[in-house]
């Protein structure tokens, strides 16, 4: 027996807590579409992301280390997949819509520029006089405008709950009904889960990549209390284990400890504030009360860990050098396309009349992978930097 769409939705929604976003509520899209006979709306969102060009390009966009510097380091794609995994875990345990948390996580970095945060910084600076650049806003633009896969509409036509879920800063988007919904309703718990999962993922996996690259050491990490605690417990549990396995076991302990703390603190907040529906959640958001959060014990330790990573990894001279090289590539390309807009790919250039030259240049460069941007730079006579 093939279940009807309504049966599938009823089954899924019966598992969810009262304050979760129901699948029944997730069906609305920007453009009306006939529903798929056996895929839930959020399943279709996930599949559309997997098949779109911008998602596939994440494989060749920097997380911390440029893709060409080694095969074992995270890319923007593997980071995104880890965020999706953490989001599903937290959402499922709290009785939330794990499909929604997952798809928000999968979409959250799709507008990121090449060369990581250095790329975002230089594009933001270059676009200061032309409307600015911020990767969350760009993600929404990619999903709503730039992806071109369907004959009846621009973008991927994802569910509105997915699109509002990636809008972290509600006041910084083009004014439309999506912005109005985000400003009036605030973020869903699923969006909050995806947001904190992003932080959990990069705070833990950047340690592993930094250690493998040799830019931080186990000795350095003893300055960080949460790592020191977990390392001591891991060593006590496996005193004879080889060093690399001890470190990997410690990563698992660290992530489990942080996620467990988030689950306990968030569940406590749900109980304390008696969140029984979305209206209660909205009133808390308007009072700037965080519901999905770290435990009181963990939060200062996370801040300490972030400070450590900023000082010892993100501002490491070699990481900074890679970032500066990426900035140089983007700046050269931006100035070149400003002078010769006819060199922009046709699929982007046709939007110049409607979006403006500089926004189109920004769209084009932001959509590039590290590798493609480097090739275009070298074609202009730039020396091989990466």
């Amino acid at each position: 027996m093939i279940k009807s769409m309504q049966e599938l939705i009823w089954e899924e929604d019966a598992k969810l807590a009262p304050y979760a976003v129901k699948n029944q509520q997730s069906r609305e899209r920007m453009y009306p579409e006939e529903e798929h006979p056996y895929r839930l709306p959020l399943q279709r969102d996930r599949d559309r992301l997997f098949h779109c060009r911008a998602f596939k390009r994440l494989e060749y966009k920097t997380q911390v280390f440029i893709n060409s510097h080694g095969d074992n380091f995270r890319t923007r794609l593997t980071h995104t997949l880890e965020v999706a995994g953490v989001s599903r875990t937290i959402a499922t345990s709290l009785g939330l819509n794990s499909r929604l948390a997952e798809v928000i996580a999968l979409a959250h970095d799709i507008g990121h520029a090449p060369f990581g945060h250095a790329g975002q910084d230089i594009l933001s600076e270059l676009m200061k006089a032309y409307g600015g650049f911020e990767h969350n806003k760009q993600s929404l633009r990619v999903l709503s405008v730039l992806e071109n896969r369907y004959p009846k509409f621009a973008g991927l036509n994802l569910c509105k709950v997915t699109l509002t879920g990636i809008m972290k800063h509600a006041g910084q988007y083009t004014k439309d009904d999506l912005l109005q919904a985000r400003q009036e309703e605030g973020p869903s718990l699923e969006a909050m889960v995806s947001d904190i999962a992003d932080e959990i993922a990069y705070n833990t996996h950047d340690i592993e990549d930094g250690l493998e690259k040799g830019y931080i050491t186990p000795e350095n990490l003893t300055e960080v209390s949460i790592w020191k605690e977990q390392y001591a417990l891991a060593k006590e549990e496996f005193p004879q284990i080889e060093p690399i396995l001890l470190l990997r076991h410690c990563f698992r302990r660290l992530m489990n400890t942080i996620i467990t703390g988030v689950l306990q603190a968030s569940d406590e907040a749900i109980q304390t504030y008696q969140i029984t529906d979305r209206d209660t959640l909205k009133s808390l958001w308007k009072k700037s009360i965080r519901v999905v959060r770290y435990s009181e014990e963990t939060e200062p330790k996370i801040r300490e860990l972030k400070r450590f990573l900023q000082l010892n990894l993100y501002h490491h001279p070699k990481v900074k050098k890679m970032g500066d090289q990426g900035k140089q590539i983007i700046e050269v390309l931006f100035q070149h396309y400003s002078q010769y807009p006819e060199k922009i790919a046709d699929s982007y250039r046709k939007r110049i009349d409607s979006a403006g030259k500089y926004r189109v240049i920004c769209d084009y460069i932001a959509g590039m992978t590290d590798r493609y941007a480097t090739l275009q730079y070298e074609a202009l006579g730039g020396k091989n930097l990466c």
Side-chain angles (χ1 to χ4, degrees):
M1 180 190 73
I2 299 176
K3 295 178 181 178
S4 70
M5 175 55 63
Q6 194 56 56
E7 286 176 309
L8 292 170
I9 286 176
W10 282 337
E11 285 184 6
E12 290 294 315
D13 286 352
K15 305 172 190 175
L16 302 180
Y19 40 77
V21 174
K22 304 297 191 291
N23 290 280
Q24 183 69 39
Q25 300 165 333
S26 72
R27 302 167 88 161
E28 187 179 6
R29 299 182 183 275
M30 295 299 293
Y31 304 96
E33 258 190 273
E34 185 178 347
E35 288 189 332
H36 196 275
Y38 49 82
R39 280 190 299 160
L40 293 166
L42 293 169
Q43 285 179 292
R44 294 183 81 187
D45 279 12
R46 181 195 60 196
D47 295 343
R48 288 179 179 192
L49 284 166
F50 284 160
H51 288 286
C52 81
R53 293 163 68 90
F55 187 83
K56 288 180 279 190
R57 289 178 192 152
L58 295 176
E59 181 177 2
Y60 298 101
K61 290 191 175 188
T62 295
Q63 177 61 25
V64 175
F65 301 111
I66 292 173
N67 182 282
S68 60
H69 281 217
D71 295 337
N72 297 324
F73 302 117
R74 268 75 175 186
T75 64
R76 190 62 57 178
L77 177 61
T78 56
H79 163 71
T80 293
L81 296 176
E82 290 184 39
V83 176
V86 175
S87 297
R88 285 196 308 270
T89 296
I90 296 173
T92 301
S93 297
L94 290 175
L96 300 174
N97 191 327
S98 61
R99 295 184 191 277
L100 177 56
E102 176 189 31
V103 79
I104 292 170
L106 291 171
H108 85 285
D109 264 357
I110 207 162
H112 221 295
F115 307 112
H117 288 284
Q120 171 167 290
D121 291 345
I122 188 63
L123 268 182
S124 178
E125 183 180 328
L126 292 167
M127 287 295 293
K128 194 175 293 183
Y130 311 108
F133 174 82
E134 199 275 333
H135 82 269
N136 286 116
K137 292 174 66 176
Q138 189 68 12
S139 293
L140 191 67
R141 181 165 170 78
V142 168
L143 298 171
S144 303
V145 179
L146 299 182
E147 276 292 330
N148 181 26
R149 298 185 66 83
Y150 301 95
K152 293 184 178 180
F153 48 78
L156 300 183
N157 199 28
L158 302 184
C159 297
K160 287 186 177 182
V161 292
T162 299
L163 295 175
T164 56
I166 65 171
M167 297 171 75
K168 288 189 178 181
H169 311 292
Q172 297 181 5
Y173 294 82
T174 304
K175 294 193 178 300
D176 55 21
D177 61 342
L178 273 182
L179 176 62
Q180 184 177 352
R182 176 61 170 77
Q183 288 178 328
E184 290 178 357
E185 298 297 323
S188 62
L189 285 174
E190 288 82 358
M192 296 181 200
V193 164
S194 178
D195 193 23
I196 204 167
D198 182 27
E199 193 170 89
I200 292 169
Y202 68 68
N203 278 333
T204 51
H205 67 46
D206 287 357
I207 297 174
E208 186 172 14
D209 283 0
L211 284 168
E212 179 152 345
K213 192 69 172 173
Y215 291 176
I216 56 178
T217 67
E219 291 72 30
N220 295 147
L221 280 164
T222 58
E223 302 170 20
V224 182
S225 58
I226 195 169
W227 173 267
K228 187 176 181 180
E229 292 163 6
Q230 297 306 315
Y231 189 79
L233 289 168
K235 202 166 185 179
E236 184 180 327
E237 190 176 358
F238 297 103
Q240 303 302 321
I241 197 171
E242 62 180 291
I244 187 62
L245 286 179
L246 181 63
L247 287 174
R248 289 171 181 166
H249 182 60
C250 194
F251 294 133
R252 288 192 294 275
R253 287 194 61 95
L254 179 64
M255 183 166 277
N256 285 334
T257 298
I258 295 171
I259 291 173
T260 300
V262 167
L263 285 171
Q264 291 171 345
S266 303
D267 182 59
E268 183 181 329
I270 289 168
Q271 304 304 323
T272 298
Y273 296 114
Q274 299 181 333
I275 300 173
T276 55
D277 52 36
R278 298 272 298 142
D279 287 338
T280 314
L281 180 63
K282 180 169 65 175
S283 68
L284 293 172
W285 171 72
K286 289 183 175 179
K287 296 175 185 174
S288 300
I289 295 173
R290 291 182 63 188
V291 177
V292 178
R293 57 198 186 188
Y294 297 110
S295 65
E296 288 186 14
E297 179 186 358
T298 303
E299 187 160 19
K301 295 177 182 178
I302 296 296
R303 289 199 299 268
E304 180 189 36
L305 173 58
K306 291 176 76 171
R307 285 194 298 269
F308 173 86
L309 288 170
Q310 283 288 340
L311 181 63
N312 295 279
L313 183 59
Y314 307 142
H315 289 164
H316 188 284
K318 291 184 179 179
V319 173
K320 188 175 184 304
K321 181 181 178 182
M322 285 189 291
D324 289 344
Q325 290 170 345
K327 286 182 177 182
Q328 180 178 333
I329 289 170
I330 288 176
E331 187 164 11
V332 168
L333 292 178
F334 191 93
Q335 301 305 337
H336 175 72
Y337 295 129
S338 298
Q339 189 172 358
Y340 303 104
E342 68 275 10
K343 300 293 186 181
I344 300 170
D346 291 345
S347 58
Y348 287 86
R349 193 173 67 248
K350 65 184 181 181
R351 294 191 177 92
I352 287 179
D353 288 344
S354 59
K357 181 176 75 170
Y358 293 103
R359 179 54 59 193
V360 168
I361 292 169
C362 180
D363 288 339
Y364 185 41
I365 294 175
M368 292 180 179
T369 62
D370 299 359
R371 180 174 60 181
Y372 185 77
T374 302
L375 287 172
Q376 299 311 300
Y377 171 80
E378 291 172 0
L380 297 176
K383 63 178 182 177
N384 191 331
L385 296 174
C386 300

